[in-house]
Amino acid sequence: MAPTVADYLLHRLREWGVERLFGYTGDGINGIVAALGRADDRPRFVQARHEEMAAFAATGYAKFSGRPGVCLATSGPGAIHLLNGLYDAKLDHVPVVAIVGQTARS
């Protein structure tokens, strides 16, 4: 099977030294979740109870580890729920990457 965009995305995250990805699954990110399965859980996916908690977990991880934090959510309201955690990261000047999905459209 040919590599997908999600496979390349995870490869880049590994190059950046990302070890954990905090997220809440949804239809808009199914491709990334499938790529995580093919990547032998590198980076490790940590399931949160809610998108907002995923962003706060990524921010806390970045604050205390010194590594980039990464949060993942589906499109629409899921993506908006990341904002509080991302704003916390902004105020404390820690590196957090937010990856959000997009529903398919023609």
PDB file of all heavy atoms in Angstrom, residues 23-53:
ATOM      1  N   GLY A  23      -5.339  13.168  22.039  1.00  0.00           N
ATOM      2  CA  GLY A  23      -6.462  13.475  21.175  1.00  0.00           C
ATOM      3  C   GLY A  23      -7.745  12.766  21.534  1.00  0.00           C
ATOM      4  O   GLY A  23      -7.801  11.919  22.417  1.00  0.00           O
ATOM      5  N   TYR A  24      -8.768  13.166  20.806  1.00  0.00           N
ATOM      6  CA  TYR A  24     -10.087  12.575  20.909  1.00  0.00           C
ATOM      7  C   TYR A  24     -10.513  12.223  19.488  1.00  0.00           C
ATOM      8  O   TYR A  24     -10.551  13.087  18.615  1.00  0.00           O
ATOM      9  CB  TYR A  24     -11.063  13.567  21.553  1.00  0.00           C
ATOM     10  CG  TYR A  24     -12.393  12.961  21.874  1.00  0.00           C
ATOM     11  CD1 TYR A  24     -12.539  12.118  22.958  1.00  0.00           C
ATOM     12  CD2 TYR A  24     -13.506  13.240  21.092  1.00  0.00           C
ATOM     13  CE1 TYR A  24     -13.769  11.556  23.260  1.00  0.00           C
ATOM     14  CE2 TYR A  24     -14.738  12.681  21.390  1.00  0.00           C
ATOM     15  CZ  TYR A  24     -14.854  11.836  22.476  1.00  0.00           C
ATOM     16  OH  TYR A  24     -16.069  11.277  22.779  1.00  0.00           O
ATOM     17  N   THR A  25     -10.812  10.965  19.260  1.00  0.00           N
ATOM     18  CA  THR A  25     -11.071  10.506  17.891  1.00  0.00           C
ATOM     19  C   THR A  25     -12.418  10.965  17.347  1.00  0.00           C
ATOM     20  O   THR A  25     -13.327  11.284  18.095  1.00  0.00           O
ATOM     21  CB  THR A  25     -11.008   8.968  17.834  1.00  0.00           C
ATOM     22  OG1 THR A  25     -11.949   8.443  18.759  1.00  0.00           O
ATOM     23  CG2 THR A  25      -9.632   8.471  18.164  1.00  0.00           C
ATOM     24  N   GLY A  26     -12.494  11.007  16.045  1.00  0.00           N
ATOM     25  CA  GLY A  26     -13.709  11.389  15.344  1.00  0.00           C
ATOM     26  C   GLY A  26     -13.533  11.127  13.858  1.00  0.00           C
ATOM     27  O   GLY A  26     -12.430  10.851  13.388  1.00  0.00           O
ATOM     28  N   ASP A  27     -14.616  11.210  13.108  1.00  0.00           N
ATOM     29  CA  ASP A  27     -14.581  10.863  11.688  1.00  0.00           C
ATOM     30  C   ASP A  27     -13.587  11.685  10.880  1.00  0.00           C
ATOM     31  O   ASP A  27     -13.004  11.186   9.934  1.00  0.00           O
ATOM     32  CB  ASP A  27     -15.970  11.021  11.071  1.00  0.00           C
ATOM     33  CG  ASP A  27     -16.927   9.941  11.529  1.00  0.00           C
ATOM     34  OD1 ASP A  27     -16.449   8.936  12.088  1.00  0.00           O
ATOM     35  OD2 ASP A  27     -18.137  10.101  11.335  1.00  0.00           O
ATOM     36  N   GLY A  28     -13.384  12.946  11.227  1.00  0.00           N
ATOM     37  CA  GLY A  28     -12.507  13.805  10.443  1.00  0.00           C
ATOM     38  C   GLY A  28     -11.036  13.440  10.526  1.00  0.00           C
ATOM     39  O   GLY A  28     -10.235  13.916   9.729  1.00  0.00           O
ATOM     40  N   ILE A  29     -10.656  12.596  11.486  1.00  0.00           N
ATOM     41  CA  ILE A  29      -9.244  12.217  11.642  1.00  0.00           C
ATOM     42  C   ILE A  29      -9.036  10.707  11.551  1.00  0.00           C
ATOM     43  O   ILE A  29      -7.998  10.200  11.986  1.00  0.00           O
ATOM     44  CB  ILE A  29      -8.672  12.758  12.974  1.00  0.00           C
ATOM     45  CG1 ILE A  29      -9.516  12.296  14.148  1.00  0.00           C
ATOM     46  CG2 ILE A  29      -8.520  14.264  12.923  1.00  0.00           C
ATOM     47  CD1 ILE A  29      -8.904  12.591  15.502  1.00  0.00           C
ATOM     48  N   ASN A  30      -9.983  10.005  10.969  1.00  0.00           N
ATOM     49  CA  ASN A  30      -9.847   8.551  10.835  1.00  0.00           C
ATOM     50  C   ASN A  30      -8.581   8.154  10.096  1.00  0.00           C
ATOM     51  O   ASN A  30      -7.964   7.138  10.417  1.00  0.00           O
ATOM     52  CB  ASN A  30     -11.070   7.953  10.136  1.00  0.00           C
ATOM     53  CG  ASN A  30     -12.244   7.795  11.071  1.00  0.00           C
ATOM     54  OD1 ASN A  30     -12.085   7.815  12.288  1.00  0.00           O
ATOM     55  ND2 ASN A  30     -13.429   7.639  10.502  1.00  0.00           N
ATOM     56  N   GLY A  31      -8.180   8.918   9.099  1.00  0.00           N
ATOM     57  CA  GLY A  31      -6.956   8.609   8.356  1.00  0.00           C
ATOM     58  C   GLY A  31      -5.723   8.667   9.238  1.00  0.00           C
ATOM     59  O   GLY A  31      -4.827   7.820   9.128  1.00  0.00           O
ATOM     60  N   ILE A  32      -5.661   9.637  10.131  1.00  0.00           N
ATOM     61  CA  ILE A  32      -4.513   9.759  11.038  1.00  0.00           C
ATOM     62  C   ILE A  32      -4.530   8.635  12.068  1.00  0.00           C
ATOM     63  O   ILE A  32      -3.482   8.059  12.386  1.00  0.00           O
ATOM     64  CB  ILE A  32      -4.498  11.148  11.711  1.00  0.00           C
ATOM     65  CG1 ILE A  32      -4.335  12.231  10.653  1.00  0.00           C
ATOM     66  CG2 ILE A  32      -3.399  11.233  12.762  1.00  0.00           C
ATOM     67  CD1 ILE A  32      -4.517  13.638  11.166  1.00  0.00           C
ATOM     68  N   VAL A  33      -5.708   8.313  12.577  1.00  0.00           N
ATOM     69  CA  VAL A  33      -5.814   7.223  13.555  1.00  0.00           C
ATOM     70  C   VAL A  33      -5.389   5.902  12.912  1.00  0.00           C
ATOM     71  O   VAL A  33      -4.670   5.104  13.522  1.00  0.00           O
ATOM     72  CB  VAL A  33      -7.245   7.155  14.132  1.00  0.00           C
ATOM     73  CG1 VAL A  33      -7.416   5.940  15.017  1.00  0.00           C
ATOM     74  CG2 VAL A  33      -7.556   8.428  14.910  1.00  0.00           C
ATOM     75  N   ALA A  34      -5.775   5.672  11.673  1.00  0.00           N
ATOM     76  CA  ALA A  34      -5.358   4.459  10.964  1.00  0.00           C
ATOM     77  C   ALA A  34      -3.843   4.450  10.745  1.00  0.00           C
ATOM     78  O   ALA A  34      -3.195   3.408  10.891  1.00  0.00           O
ATOM     79  CB  ALA A  34      -6.087   4.357   9.628  1.00  0.00           C
ATOM     80  N   ALA A  35      -3.279   5.599  10.428  1.00  0.00           N
ATOM     81  CA  ALA A  35      -1.828   5.693  10.229  1.00  0.00           C
ATOM     82  C   ALA A  35      -1.085   5.423  11.540  1.00  0.00           C
ATOM     83  O   ALA A  35       0.000   4.839  11.522  1.00  0.00           O
ATOM     84  CB  ALA A  35      -1.459   7.069   9.682  1.00  0.00           C
ATOM     85  N   LEU A  36      -1.649   5.841  12.659  1.00  0.00           N
ATOM     86  CA  LEU A  36      -1.031   5.538  13.955  1.00  0.00           C
ATOM     87  C   LEU A  36      -0.950   4.033  14.172  1.00  0.00           C
ATOM     88  O   LEU A  36       0.042   3.530  14.700  1.00  0.00           O
ATOM     89  CB  LEU A  36      -1.820   6.194  15.092  1.00  0.00           C
ATOM     90  CG  LEU A  36      -1.577   7.676  15.295  1.00  0.00           C
ATOM     91  CD1 LEU A  36      -2.656   8.273  16.189  1.00  0.00           C
ATOM     92  CD2 LEU A  36      -0.208   7.919  15.885  1.00  0.00           C
ATOM     93  N   GLY A  37      -1.968   3.312  13.754  1.00  0.00           N
ATOM     94  CA  GLY A  37      -1.948   1.855  13.858  1.00  0.00           C
ATOM     95  C   GLY A  37      -0.860   1.235  13.000  1.00  0.00           C
ATOM     96  O   GLY A  37      -0.202   0.285  13.407  1.00  0.00           O
ATOM     97  N   ARG A  38      -0.644   1.803  11.813  1.00  0.00           N
ATOM     98  CA  ARG A  38       0.411   1.295  10.929  1.00  0.00           C
ATOM     99  C   ARG A  38       1.799   1.693  11.413  1.00  0.00           C
ATOM    100  O   ARG A  38       2.784   1.065  11.056  1.00  0.00           O
ATOM    101  CB  ARG A  38       0.207   1.833   9.509  1.00  0.00           C
ATOM    102  CG  ARG A  38      -0.993   1.276   8.807  1.00  0.00           C
ATOM    103  CD  ARG A  38      -1.007   1.633   7.340  1.00  0.00           C
ATOM    104  NE  ARG A  38      -1.054   3.062   7.067  1.00  0.00           N
ATOM    105  CZ  ARG A  38      -2.165   3.796   7.012  1.00  0.00           C
ATOM    106  NH1 ARG A  38      -3.339   3.229   7.214  1.00  0.00           N
ATOM    107  NH2 ARG A  38      -2.120   5.077   6.742  1.00  0.00           N
ATOM    108  N   ALA A  39       1.893   2.725  12.253  1.00  0.00           N
ATOM    109  CA  ALA A  39       3.193   3.244  12.698  1.00  0.00           C
ATOM    110  C   ALA A  39       3.645   2.622  14.011  1.00  0.00           C
ATOM    111  O   ALA A  39       4.530   3.154  14.676  1.00  0.00           O
ATOM    112  CB  ALA A  39       3.116   4.764  12.840  1.00  0.00           C
ATOM    113  N   ASP A  40       3.045   1.504  14.406  1.00  0.00           N
ATOM    114  CA  ASP A  40       3.413   0.827  15.659  1.00  0.00           C
ATOM    115  C   ASP A  40       3.348   1.759  16.856  1.00  0.00           C
ATOM    116  O   ASP A  40       4.222   1.730  17.720  1.00  0.00           O
ATOM    117  CB  ASP A  40       4.804   0.209  15.551  1.00  0.00           C
ATOM    118  CG  ASP A  40       4.866  -0.899  14.515  1.00  0.00           C
ATOM    119  OD1 ASP A  40       3.851  -1.599  14.350  1.00  0.00           O
ATOM    120  OD2 ASP A  40       5.915  -1.060  13.874  1.00  0.00           O
ATOM    121  N   ASP A  41       2.326   2.617  16.879  1.00  0.00           N
ATOM    122  CA  ASP A  41       2.081   3.521  18.010  1.00  0.00           C
ATOM    123  C   ASP A  41       3.258   4.475  18.262  1.00  0.00           C
ATOM    124  O   ASP A  41       3.598   4.775  19.396  1.00  0.00           O
ATOM    125  CB  ASP A  41       1.750   2.724  19.267  1.00  0.00           C
ATOM    126  CG  ASP A  41       0.815   3.479  20.192  1.00  0.00           C
ATOM    127  OD1 ASP A  41       0.133   4.410  19.715  1.00  0.00           O
ATOM    128  OD2 ASP A  41       0.761   3.155  21.390  1.00  0.00           O
ATOM    129  N   ARG A  42       3.896   4.931  17.190  1.00  0.00           N
ATOM    130  CA  ARG A  42       4.953   5.933  17.285  1.00  0.00           C
ATOM    131  C   ARG A  42       4.558   7.122  16.428  1.00  0.00           C
ATOM    132  O   ARG A  42       4.564   6.990  15.213  1.00  0.00           O
ATOM    133  CB  ARG A  42       6.285   5.371  16.784  1.00  0.00           C
ATOM    134  CG  ARG A  42       6.898   4.388  17.715  1.00  0.00           C
ATOM    135  CD  ARG A  42       8.288   3.961  17.298  1.00  0.00           C
ATOM    136  NE  ARG A  42       9.156   5.093  16.986  1.00  0.00           N
ATOM    137  CZ  ARG A  42       9.783   5.259  15.819  1.00  0.00           C
ATOM    138  NH1 ARG A  42       9.649   4.399  14.847  1.00  0.00           N
ATOM    139  NH2 ARG A  42      10.561   6.287  15.622  1.00  0.00           N
ATOM    140  N   PRO A  43       4.200   8.246  16.969  1.00  0.00           N
ATOM    141  CA  PRO A  43       4.131   8.562  18.396  1.00  0.00           C
ATOM    142  C   PRO A  43       2.954   7.868  19.067  1.00  0.00           C
ATOM    143  O   PRO A  43       1.993   7.476  18.411  1.00  0.00           O
ATOM    144  CB  PRO A  43       3.954  10.069  18.423  1.00  0.00           C
ATOM    145  CG  PRO A  43       3.371  10.435  17.113  1.00  0.00           C
ATOM    146  CD  PRO A  43       3.852   9.408  16.136  1.00  0.00           C
ATOM    147  N   ARG A  44       3.047   7.751  20.373  1.00  0.00           N
ATOM    148  CA  ARG A  44       2.005   7.064  21.155  1.00  0.00           C
ATOM    149  C   ARG A  44       0.759   7.937  21.218  1.00  0.00           C
ATOM    150  O   ARG A  44       0.847   9.123  21.538  1.00  0.00           O
ATOM    151  CB  ARG A  44       2.524   6.804  22.568  1.00  0.00           C
ATOM    152  CG  ARG A  44       1.542   6.060  23.407  1.00  0.00           C
ATOM    153  CD  ARG A  44       2.173   5.623  24.714  1.00  0.00           C
ATOM    154  NE  ARG A  44       1.115   5.092  25.545  1.00  0.00           N
ATOM    155  CZ  ARG A  44       0.788   5.592  26.716  1.00  0.00           C
ATOM    156  NH1 ARG A  44       1.457   6.608  27.213  1.00  0.00           N
ATOM    157  NH2 ARG A  44      -0.189   5.066  27.406  1.00  0.00           N
ATOM    158  N   PHE A  45      -0.394   7.348  20.918  1.00  0.00           N
ATOM    159  CA  PHE A  45      -1.657   8.074  20.978  1.00  0.00           C
ATOM    160  C   PHE A  45      -2.250   7.923  22.369  1.00  0.00           C
ATOM    161  O   PHE A  45      -2.437   6.809  22.853  1.00  0.00           O
ATOM    162  CB  PHE A  45      -2.642   7.545  19.934  1.00  0.00           C
ATOM    163  CG  PHE A  45      -3.974   8.228  19.967  1.00  0.00           C
ATOM    164  CD1 PHE A  45      -4.101   9.528  19.509  1.00  0.00           C
ATOM    165  CD2 PHE A  45      -5.088   7.580  20.451  1.00  0.00           C
ATOM    166  CE1 PHE A  45      -5.326  10.177  19.539  1.00  0.00           C
ATOM    167  CE2 PHE A  45      -6.322   8.211  20.478  1.00  0.00           C
ATOM    168  CZ  PHE A  45      -6.433   9.512  20.027  1.00  0.00           C
ATOM    169  N   VAL A  46      -2.535   9.058  23.025  1.00  0.00           N
ATOM    170  CA  VAL A  46      -3.144   9.065  24.348  1.00  0.00           C
ATOM    171  C   VAL A  46      -4.560   9.610  24.191  1.00  0.00           C
ATOM    172  O   VAL A  46      -4.743  10.777  23.838  1.00  0.00           O
ATOM    173  CB  VAL A  46      -2.338   9.934  25.339  1.00  0.00           C
ATOM    174  CG1 VAL A  46      -2.994   9.937  26.699  1.00  0.00           C
ATOM    175  CG2 VAL A  46      -0.896   9.455  25.419  1.00  0.00           C
ATOM    176  N   GLN A  47      -5.550   8.742  24.426  1.00  0.00           N
ATOM    177  CA  GLN A  47      -6.951   9.127  24.265  1.00  0.00           C
ATOM    178  C   GLN A  47      -7.407   9.982  25.445  1.00  0.00           C
ATOM    179  O   GLN A  47      -7.244   9.592  26.588  1.00  0.00           O
ATOM    180  CB  GLN A  47      -7.821   7.868  24.188  1.00  0.00           C
ATOM    181  CG  GLN A  47      -9.302   8.133  24.201  1.00  0.00           C
ATOM    182  CD  GLN A  47      -9.899   8.231  22.824  1.00  0.00           C
ATOM    183  OE1 GLN A  47      -9.378   7.692  21.877  1.00  0.00           O
ATOM    184  NE2 GLN A  47     -11.006   8.912  22.711  1.00  0.00           N
ATOM    185  N   ALA A  48      -7.958  11.145  25.147  1.00  0.00           N
ATOM    186  CA  ALA A  48      -8.518  12.021  26.173  1.00  0.00           C
ATOM    187  C   ALA A  48     -10.030  11.824  26.224  1.00  0.00           C
ATOM    188  O   ALA A  48     -10.630  11.256  25.309  1.00  0.00           O
ATOM    189  CB  ALA A  48      -8.186  13.474  25.848  1.00  0.00           C
ATOM    190  N   ARG A  49     -10.648  12.325  27.272  1.00  0.00           N
ATOM    191  CA  ARG A  49     -12.103  12.219  27.405  1.00  0.00           C
ATOM    192  C   ARG A  49     -12.832  13.280  26.584  1.00  0.00           C
ATOM    193  O   ARG A  49     -14.021  13.174  26.336  1.00  0.00           O
ATOM    194  CB  ARG A  49     -12.505  12.395  28.871  1.00  0.00           C
ATOM    195  CG  ARG A  49     -12.058  11.283  29.749  1.00  0.00           C
ATOM    196  CD  ARG A  49     -12.902  10.098  29.523  1.00  0.00           C
ATOM    197  NE  ARG A  49     -13.263   9.479  30.781  1.00  0.00           N
ATOM    198  CZ  ARG A  49     -14.029   8.447  30.844  1.00  0.00           C
ATOM    199  NH1 ARG A  49     -14.517   7.926  29.759  1.00  0.00           N
ATOM    200  NH2 ARG A  49     -14.315   7.907  31.992  1.00  0.00           N
ATOM    201  N   HIS A  50     -12.113  14.328  26.207  1.00  0.00           N
ATOM    202  CA  HIS A  50     -12.724  15.461  25.525  1.00  0.00           C
ATOM    203  C   HIS A  50     -11.598  16.202  24.794  1.00  0.00           C
ATOM    204  O   HIS A  50     -10.443  16.152  25.212  1.00  0.00           O
ATOM    205  CB  HIS A  50     -13.374  16.368  26.582  1.00  0.00           C
ATOM    206  CG  HIS A  50     -14.216  17.465  26.017  1.00  0.00           C
ATOM    207  ND1 HIS A  50     -13.688  18.675  25.653  1.00  0.00           N
ATOM    208  CD2 HIS A  50     -15.542  17.536  25.767  1.00  0.00           C
ATOM    209  CE1 HIS A  50     -14.665  19.453  25.198  1.00  0.00           C
ATOM    210  NE2 HIS A  50     -15.793  18.787  25.257  1.00  0.00           N
ATOM    211  N   GLU A  51     -11.925  16.888  23.729  1.00  0.00           N
ATOM    212  CA  GLU A  51     -10.909  17.621  22.969  1.00  0.00           C
ATOM    213  C   GLU A  51     -10.191  18.659  23.835  1.00  0.00           C
ATOM    214  O   GLU A  51      -8.985  18.856  23.718  1.00  0.00           O
ATOM    215  CB  GLU A  51     -11.535  18.323  21.758  1.00  0.00           C
ATOM    216  CG  GLU A  51     -12.081  17.395  20.705  1.00  0.00           C
ATOM    217  CD  GLU A  51     -13.547  17.055  20.908  1.00  0.00           C
ATOM    218  OE1 GLU A  51     -14.103  17.353  21.989  1.00  0.00           O
ATOM    219  OE2 GLU A  51     -14.137  16.473  19.978  1.00  0.00           O
ATOM    220  N   GLU A  52     -10.933  19.349  24.687  1.00  0.00           N
ATOM    221  CA  GLU A  52     -10.327  20.370  25.537  1.00  0.00           C
ATOM    222  C   GLU A  52      -9.267  19.754  26.446  1.00  0.00           C
ATOM    223  O   GLU A  52      -8.197  20.318  26.652  1.00  0.00           O
ATOM    224  CB  GLU A  52     -11.402  21.067  26.362  1.00  0.00           C
ATOM    225  CG  GLU A  52     -10.891  22.273  27.114  1.00  0.00           C
ATOM    226  CD  GLU A  52     -12.017  23.064  27.756  1.00  0.00           C
ATOM    227  OE1 GLU A  52     -13.152  22.566  27.837  1.00  0.00           O
ATOM    228  OE2 GLU A  52     -11.732  24.184  28.182  1.00  0.00           O
ATOM    229  N   MET A  53      -9.551  18.565  26.966  1.00  0.00           N
ATOM    230  CA  MET A  53      -8.574  17.889  27.837  1.00  0.00           C
ATOM    231  C   MET A  53      -7.353  17.453  27.031  1.00  0.00           C
ATOM    232  O   MET A  53      -6.240  17.440  27.553  1.00  0.00           O
ATOM    233  CB  MET A  53      -9.201  16.687  28.526  1.00  0.00           C
ATOM    234  CG  MET A  53     -10.351  16.999  29.443  1.00  0.00           C
ATOM    235  SD  MET A  53     -10.204  18.020  30.936  1.00  0.00           S
ATOM    236  CE  MET A  53      -8.828  19.007  30.919  1.00  0.00           C
TER     237      MET A  53
END
